[in-house]
mmCIF file of all heavy atoms in Angstrom:
data_model
loop_
_atom_site.group_PDB
_atom_site.id
_atom_site.type_symbol
_atom_site.label_atom_id
_atom_site.label_comp_id
_atom_site.label_asym_id
_atom_site.label_seq_id
_atom_site.Cartn_x
_atom_site.Cartn_y
_atom_site.Cartn_z
ATOM 1 N N VAL A 6 40.744 -29.281 35.091
ATOM 2 C CA VAL A 6 39.717 -29.158 34.017
ATOM 3 C C VAL A 6 39.015 -27.826 34.100
ATOM 4 O O VAL A 6 38.791 -27.118 33.087
ATOM 5 C CB VAL A 6 38.710 -30.307 34.109
ATOM 6 C CG1 VAL A 6 37.565 -30.090 33.146
ATOM 7 C CG2 VAL A 6 39.395 -31.627 33.780
ATOM 8 N N GLY A 9 41.362 -25.141 32.914
ATOM 9 C CA GLY A 9 41.451 -25.195 31.451
ATOM 10 C C GLY A 9 40.231 -24.626 30.767
ATOM 11 O O GLY A 9 40.363 -23.865 29.787
ATOM 12 N N LEU A 13 40.176 -21.345 28.373
ATOM 13 C CA LEU A 13 39.613 -21.380 26.997
ATOM 14 C C LEU A 13 38.521 -20.308 26.839
ATOM 15 O O LEU A 13 38.412 -19.624 25.791
ATOM 16 C CB LEU A 13 39.061 -22.750 26.697
ATOM 17 C CG LEU A 13 40.100 -23.865 26.516
ATOM 18 C CD1 LEU A 13 39.412 -25.208 26.316
ATOM 19 C CD2 LEU A 13 40.991 -23.584 25.317
ATOM 20 N N ALA A 30 36.859 -1.124 13.370
ATOM 21 C CA ALA A 30 37.869 -0.195 12.791
ATOM 22 C C ALA A 30 37.841 -0.241 11.265
ATOM 23 O O ALA A 30 37.977 0.810 10.630
ATOM 24 C CB ALA A 30 39.278 -0.612 13.291
ATOM 25 N N ASN A 50 34.192 18.341 -8.875
ATOM 26 C CA ASN A 50 33.054 18.779 -9.665
ATOM 27 C C ASN A 50 32.945 20.337 -9.661
ATOM 28 O O ASN A 50 32.687 20.945 -10.703
ATOM 29 C CB ASN A 50 31.750 18.215 -9.155
ATOM 30 C CG ASN A 50 31.642 16.699 -9.409
ATOM 31 O OD1 ASN A 50 32.357 16.192 -10.271
ATOM 32 N ND2 ASN A 50 30.819 16.043 -8.646
ATOM 33 N N GLY A 65 38.533 24.366 -21.763
ATOM 34 C CA GLY A 65 37.196 24.512 -21.242
ATOM 35 C C GLY A 65 36.236 23.443 -21.764
ATOM 36 O O GLY A 65 35.353 22.959 -21.003
ATOM 37 N N THR A 76 28.257 14.210 -13.765
ATOM 38 C CA THR A 76 26.906 14.582 -13.345
ATOM 39 C C THR A 76 25.870 13.503 -13.742
ATOM 40 O O THR A 76 25.003 13.144 -12.947
ATOM 41 C CB THR A 76 26.505 15.934 -13.924
ATOM 42 O OG1 THR A 76 27.481 16.902 -13.546
ATOM 43 C CG2 THR A 76 25.147 16.373 -13.455
ATOM 44 N N GLN A 94 14.551 -5.183 -8.568
ATOM 45 C CA GLN A 94 14.992 -5.334 -9.916
ATOM 46 C C GLN A 94 16.037 -4.268 -10.307
ATOM 47 O O GLN A 94 16.789 -4.392 -11.217
ATOM 48 C CB GLN A 94 13.845 -5.352 -10.911
ATOM 49 C CG GLN A 94 14.226 -5.765 -12.318
ATOM 50 C CD GLN A 94 13.018 -5.925 -13.200
ATOM 51 O OE1 GLN A 94 11.883 -5.873 -12.732
ATOM 52 N NE2 GLN A 94 13.224 -6.153 -14.485
ATOM 53 N N LEU A 95 16.009 -3.126 -9.568
ATOM 54 C CA LEU A 95 16.993 -2.070 -9.837
ATOM 55 C C LEU A 95 18.417 -2.491 -9.479
ATOM 56 O O LEU A 95 19.327 -1.785 -9.840
ATOM 57 C CB LEU A 95 16.618 -0.813 -9.062
ATOM 58 C CG LEU A 95 15.278 -0.153 -9.475
ATOM 59 C CD1 LEU A 95 15.007 1.064 -8.621
ATOM 60 C CD2 LEU A 95 15.275 0.177 -10.954
ATOM 61 N N LEU A 112 37.765 6.811 -19.049
ATOM 62 C CA LEU A 112 37.669 7.942 -19.942
ATOM 63 C C LEU A 112 38.021 9.237 -19.246
ATOM 64 O O LEU A 112 38.673 10.121 -19.826
ATOM 65 C CB LEU A 112 36.245 7.993 -20.519
ATOM 66 C CG LEU A 112 35.944 9.191 -21.444
ATOM 67 C CD1 LEU A 112 36.865 9.169 -22.670
ATOM 68 C CD2 LEU A 112 34.488 9.144 -21.859
ATOM 69 N N GLU A 120 43.844 17.090 -20.792
ATOM 70 C CA GLU A 120 43.714 18.445 -20.310
ATOM 71 C C GLU A 120 45.071 19.090 -20.029
ATOM 72 O O GLU A 120 45.231 20.307 -20.116
ATOM 73 C CB GLU A 120 42.841 18.442 -19.070
ATOM 74 C CG GLU A 120 42.401 19.812 -18.574
ATOM 75 C CD GLU A 120 41.485 19.686 -17.392
ATOM 76 O OE1 GLU A 120 41.365 18.596 -16.788
ATOM 77 O OE2 GLU A 120 40.824 20.716 -17.041
ATOM 78 N N GLU A 164 -0.031 2.110 -6.874
ATOM 79 C CA GLU A 164 -0.235 2.084 -5.449
ATOM 80 C C GLU A 164 -1.245 3.122 -5.016
ATOM 81 O O GLU A 164 -2.091 2.857 -4.140
ATOM 82 C CB GLU A 164 1.082 2.264 -4.700
ATOM 83 C CG GLU A 164 0.981 2.226 -3.187
ATOM 84 C CD GLU A 164 0.592 0.854 -2.693
ATOM 85 O OE1 GLU A 164 0.776 -0.146 -3.422
ATOM 86 O OE2 GLU A 164 0.059 0.791 -1.548
ATOM 87 N N GLY A 200 -49.865 -2.437 10.993
ATOM 88 C CA GLY A 200 -50.573 -2.221 12.281
ATOM 89 C C GLY A 200 -51.997 -1.730 12.015
ATOM 90 O O GLY A 200 -52.935 -2.098 12.754
ATOM 91 N N ALA A 226 -69.270 -20.767 16.710
ATOM 92 C CA ALA A 226 -69.941 -20.214 17.887
ATOM 93 C C ALA A 226 -69.010 -20.264 19.049
ATOM 94 O O ALA A 226 -68.237 -21.200 19.194
ATOM 95 C CB ALA A 226 -71.216 -20.990 18.191
ATOM 96 N N LEU A 241 -75.474 -18.671 32.595
ATOM 97 C CA LEU A 241 -74.538 -19.343 33.531
ATOM 98 C C LEU A 241 -74.457 -18.607 34.840
ATOM 99 O O LEU A 241 -74.287 -19.242 35.894
ATOM 100 C CB LEU A 241 -73.167 -19.425 32.863
ATOM 101 C CG LEU A 241 -73.050 -20.395 31.662
ATOM 102 C CD1 LEU A 241 -71.652 -20.299 31.077
ATOM 103 C CD2 LEU A 241 -73.398 -21.799 32.075
#
Side-chain angles (χ1 to χ4, degrees):
V6 171
L13 290 176
N50 291 340
T76 304
Q94 192 172 352
L95 296 180
L112 177 60
E120 191 177 12
E164 181 65 22
L241 291 175

